[in-house]
Amino acid sequence: MDYDQRNLAIARLVRFFSIHHQGHHLALGDLYLNEGEKELAATASAQLLIPTVGGVSSDGFKRAGVRLYKVGHLDESCMAYEAALVVDPLNHLARMNLAWNRYLQHRFDEAIRHYQLVIAQRETGEAAFGLSLAYLHAGHVDSAWVAYG
């Protein structure tokens, strides 16, 4: 999926996200996750990303991203975090989680960019650590020391 297609998919998710179904699928996802049924939890959480008619919640997308991350679906988790950021670009936790996912995917330049945006918004120890780790793995040792310092 190229950049434009991804943005279009995210825009569709935002436009058609339904708050009504959100609570049901979050609860179902949690139930399956607690019972160790990772694939069923992923399926229930992914239902939050299916286009429906209704309102939009940045926090709902973020929570879906967390659940998808917990069952190892990083690509879908990133899409959920990106959708959360379309709805609310200042969603600090969604951006932090997206940065971490990009780091785990070895997409260090993207991780660095998101951590920098987090720090510009709200400087935290976690963001500084994540930024320094992404710099280090991207081969920017001097920048890693500065970010960590």
Side-chain angles (χ1 to χ4, degrees), residues 4 7 12 29 38-39 41 50 55 63 67 70 83 146 148:
D4 289 334
N7 282 344
R12 284 185 184 141
K38 289 184 175 184
E39 288 305 312
I50 292 176
R63 288 187 306 224
R67 283 160 179 79
K70 285 181 178 181
V146 170
Y148 191 68

Side-chain angles (χ1 to χ4, degrees), residues 50-84:
I50 292 176
T52 57
V53 176
V56 176
S57 166
S58 178
D59 193 51
F61 281 119
K62 180 196 58 86
R63 288 187 306 224
V66 169
R67 283 160 179 79
L68 289 163
Y69 165 82
K70 285 181 178 181
V71 295
H73 292 262
L74 285 182
D75 289 335
E76 293 87 350
S77 177
C78 287
M79 284 186 69
Y81 294 138
E82 289 169 345

Side-chain angles (χ1 to χ4, degrees), residues 63-121:
R63 288 187 306 224
V66 169
R67 283 160 179 79
L68 289 163
Y69 165 82
K70 285 181 178 181
V71 295
H73 292 262
L74 285 182
D75 289 335
E76 293 87 350
S77 177
C78 287
M79 284 186 69
Y81 294 138
E82 289 169 345
L85 292 168
V86 167
V87 176
D88 178 8
L90 299 178
N91 188 326
H92 171 79
L93 293 176
R95 191 167 304 279
M96 275 287 291
N97 292 347
L98 178 58
W100 179 247
N101 279 10
R102 293 304 187 205
Y103 168 80
L104 292 176
Q105 294 174 320
H106 298 250
R107 294 167 70 169
F108 302 121
D109 289 339
E110 290 179 55
I112 288 167
R113 183 173 56 86
H114 285 292
Y115 279 124
Q116 288 171 333
L117 290 169
V118 167
I119 289 170
Q121 178 185 351

Side-chain angles (χ1 to χ4, degrees), residues 3 14 22 46 49 71-72 83 100 113 142:
Y3 183 77
V14 170
Q22 176 181 343
L49 304 176
V71 295
W100 179 247
R113 183 173 56 86
D142 291 339

